[in-house]
Amino acid sequence: MAKIQMRTPLVELDGDEMTRVLWPLIKEKLIAPFVELKTQYYDLGIKKRDETDDQVTIDAANAIKRYGVGVKNATITPNQERVEEYSLKKQWKSPNGTIRAMLDGTVFRKPILVNNIKPMVRSWKKPIIVGRHAYGDVYKNAEIKTRTGGKAEIVFTDALGNETRKTIMELPGPGIIQGIHNTNASISSFARACFNYSLDQKIDCWFSTKDTISKRYDQTFKLIFEDIFENEYKQKFETMGICFFYSLIDDVVARMMKSKGGILWACKNYDGDVMSDLVASAFGSLAMMSSVLVSPHGYYEYEAAHGTVQRHYYKHLKGEKTSTNAVALIFAWTGALGKRGELDALPQLCAFSKKLEKTIIKTIEDGYMTGDLAAICDPSAKKILDSTQFIDTLAQRLKEIL
Ligand code: NAP
Ligand code: MG
């Protein structure tokens, strides 16, 4: 079979630890034999970020802006322990945070379902997709830890120099203060991204905030969503037979537990961070959650929802076998290749990416999987594979069907 040709390169962002070990295996065994892979490679491994004072992260985000589609490996967000472990100059910011701030947009996290892994929540029959606003709030905050008591204020100065000032609290003693923001433009594109996703997938859109408590901030999110829905989407939703539903986040959490799934849950940035891990784990495994950042400017960045699987990496370094699940990482590649195929009108590339995804599902459903899934699958696994055996099994099966 002749290899499938690509037109535009994918922007490839490599990462750290165990996922950095799996990354080249996925390319070499599952993609390169079938696709003449074109990528622009950026090394976002922690050493390179430290060497370049994190410039490489900014360069990679700019490359996604130029080419349109990126695929990202998991990366270390350094804390103090990591600074010591890797002798870093400082605690660099989260690369995902930097990239999301530059591209703006919404992250859609969708569980990858297989029929031999039952969700923990018995009523869930279809995926629950979390649409996470990827801009602002606590991820772009300003914080002060005070040594004494004092007056905490919030001040806004407009373009003409007029000040609006409010007292947050007269602190009686040492305390903490935090300022956060969002913009109407970003919230509007978040709303449109969610409504477009719902239409595309023909599923209801539920949106939750805490507007009873946050009477200006969260209420602005609610009003913008409602306004855009009424004016731009209501008719299309009715035609498609789907609905938009707004409620308080605590109410939505309770309803979600009793739902059948098949819903897009639009969440503010922090809510989406937490709820996507909860939803992924309840559907089975963090390693079975795909993730894509959809920017309002038409850029896409595909990644796995999990981290660098540090504990497995330390085992790997000691020469021990690991059973790390590469599914979400492979779905990052298939998502990116499929999108590239769609944008460049390469139906063969789209078909390849679908076939690879199907091969993964079928392999797991046939009973061949990594340890994380074997622990929860029913009926029991036929064979528990280590990290490389799983990729090799997929490669063998893919060769057979192609
Ligand atoms: P993690 O890498 O997501 O792993 C947490 C645990 O989940 C693992 O120890 C493992 O459980 C299980 N797990 C996750 N992915 C798995 C996979 N593919 N196969 C099998 N099991 C899997 O989170 P972490 O250990 O808390 O964080 C490690 C590093 O990742 C941190 O430095 C953090 O900054 C970074 N991180 C990056 C991203 C990103 O780039 N998108 C996201 C989150 C975290 P067992 O150990 O029980 O097997
Ligand atoms: Mg998280």
Side-chain angles (χ1 to χ4, degrees):
M1 190 189 102
K3 283 196 194 182
I4 300 165
Q5 297 297 316
M6 291 178 65
R7 219 162 265 156
T8 319
L10 281 179
V11 181
E12 177 186 353
L13 287 66
D14 206 349
D16 289 298
E17 301 194 313
M18 199 59 211
T19 46
R20 191 182 178 99
V21 176
L22 298 177
W23 196 254
L25 298 178
I26 295 170
K27 283 185 358 179
E28 174 201 324
K29 297 186 177 193
L30 297 177
I31 302 169
F34 314 102
V35 177
E36 197 61 60
L37 188 60
K38 273 191 194 169
T39 74
Q40 288 274 331
Y41 181 88
Y42 291 85
D43 181 0
L44 265 61
I46 188 66
K47 286 190 192 133
K48 193 73 181 182
R49 279 182 275 146
D50 196 51
E51 256 170 58
T52 62
D53 292 340
D54 213 20
Q55 184 60 36
V56 65
T57 307
I58 294 163
D59 293 346
N62 280 323
I64 297 178
K65 287 186 174 182
R66 273 200 307 284
Y67 291 102
V69 185
V71 54
K72 181 182 171 292
N73 203 348
T75 44
I76 291 172
T77 298
N79 52 16
Q80 194 46 42
E81 275 169 32
R82 298 298 204 160
V83 169
E84 282 153 31
E85 181 180 0
Y86 289 92
S87 310
L88 304 178
K89 293 177 198 157
K90 61 182 241 193
Q91 282 186 33
W92 300 106
K93 283 194 199 151
S94 149
N96 287 324
T98 303
I99 295 166
R100 285 172 198 155
M102 286 176 70
L103 303 183
D104 197 349
T106 304
V107 176
F108 293 97
R109 296 217 158 136
K110 183 177 184 180
I112 302 157
L113 302 194
V114 286
N115 64 19
N116 43 352
I117 291 169
K118 313 274 181 289
M120 312 281 178
V121 179
R122 272 173 290 156
S123 62
W124 290 358
K125 303 291 177 223
K126 293 179 187 164
I128 291 167
I129 296 111
V130 175
R132 170 184 172 188
H133 187 207
Y135 178 83
D137 300 352
V138 71
Y139 299 83
K140 204 145 178 59
N141 61 7
E143 298 183 309
I144 299 174
K145 194 175 158 106
T146 74
R147 287 170 195 275
T148 63
K151 186 176 178 183
E153 288 179 288
I154 184 165
V155 186
F156 171 71
T157 315
D158 73 14
L160 299 171
N162 305 309
E163 278 188 3
T164 313
R165 188 177 284 267
K166 271 194 176 183
T167 301
I168 302 170
M169 187 69 193
E170 298 274 359
L171 291 172
I176 40 181
I177 315 161
Q178 166 170 257
I180 60 172
H181 84 285
N182 226 297
T183 67
N184 290 8
S186 180
I187 300 167
S188 302
S189 62
F190 168 40
R192 290 194 180 92
C194 291
F195 293 143
N196 288 337
Y197 190 96
S198 275
L199 285 172
D200 183 58
Q201 305 270 316
K202 285 200 186 111
I203 51 175
D204 292 348
C205 176
W206 293 13
F207 181 42
S208 57
T209 72
K210 192 73 179 174
D211 66 294
T212 46
I213 300 300
S214 174
K215 291 189 196 305
R216 288 273 186 285
Y217 201 101
D218 278 18
Q219 200 195 47
T220 300
F221 277 81
K222 175 186 179 214
L223 294 177
I224 290 177
F225 263 70
E226 284 175 350
D227 187 50
I228 291 179
F229 181 73
E230 284 299 320
N231 291 315
E232 301 172 29
Y233 289 91
K234 195 173 179 190
Q235 208 62 54
K236 293 178 202 158
F237 268 54
E238 276 173 12
T239 313
M240 188 118 357
I242 57 176
C243 79
F244 169 55
F245 170 70
Y246 173 84
S247 195
L248 288 172
I249 186 154
D250 22 7
D251 178 48
V252 166
V253 167
R255 284 170 188 262
M256 203 55 83
M257 286 298 169
K258 290 180 272 177
S259 80
K260 290 197 177 71
I263 297 163
L264 169 65
W265 183 3
C267 289
K268 288 177 59 202
N269 208 346
Y270 173 82
D271 299 342
D273 185 350
V274 179
M275 292 308 162
S276 63
D277 281 7
L278 183 134
V279 168
S281 306
F283 269 107
S285 168
L286 259 184
M288 297 292 279
M289 188 78 152
S290 67
S291 180
V292 56
L293 172 71
V294 179
S295 137
H297 318 290
Y299 317 129
Y300 297 83
E301 186 214 35
Y302 292 82
E303 58 168 5
H306 61 76
T308 60
V309 213
Q310 180 182 11
R311 205 181 61 84
H312 294 208
Y313 181 61
Y314 292 161
K315 274 179 76 180
H316 169 82
L317 286 182
K318 281 194 256 168
E320 291 172 34
K321 286 254 181 269
T322 61
S323 188
T324 315
N325 187 340
V327 170
L329 286 176
I330 305 170
F331 267 71
W333 277 98
T334 55
L337 287 170
K339 179 53 77 179
R340 204 59 275 169
E342 196 185 306
L343 296 175
D344 292 347
L346 298 169
Q348 275 194 310
L349 194 57
C350 300
F352 168 77
S353 106
K354 283 277 158 277
K355 277 181 194 153
L356 177 48
E357 289 178 0
K358 280 200 183 131
T359 305
I360 295 172
I361 308 280
K362 179 86 171 49
T363 304
I364 297 171
E365 291 184 346
D366 286 346
Y368 303 92
M369 62 194 81
T370 43
D372 56 320
L373 300 186
I376 52 170
C377 98
D378 177 25
S380 327
K382 285 205 184 98
K383 194 160 185 216
I384 304 174
L385 305 172
D386 68 36
S387 309
T388 34
Q389 280 171 339
F390 181 66
I391 295 175
D392 286 338
T393 306
L394 294 177
Q396 185 55 40
R397 288 172 155 236
L398 189 60
K399 244 178 229 141
E400 282 159 20
I401 68 154
L402 288 172

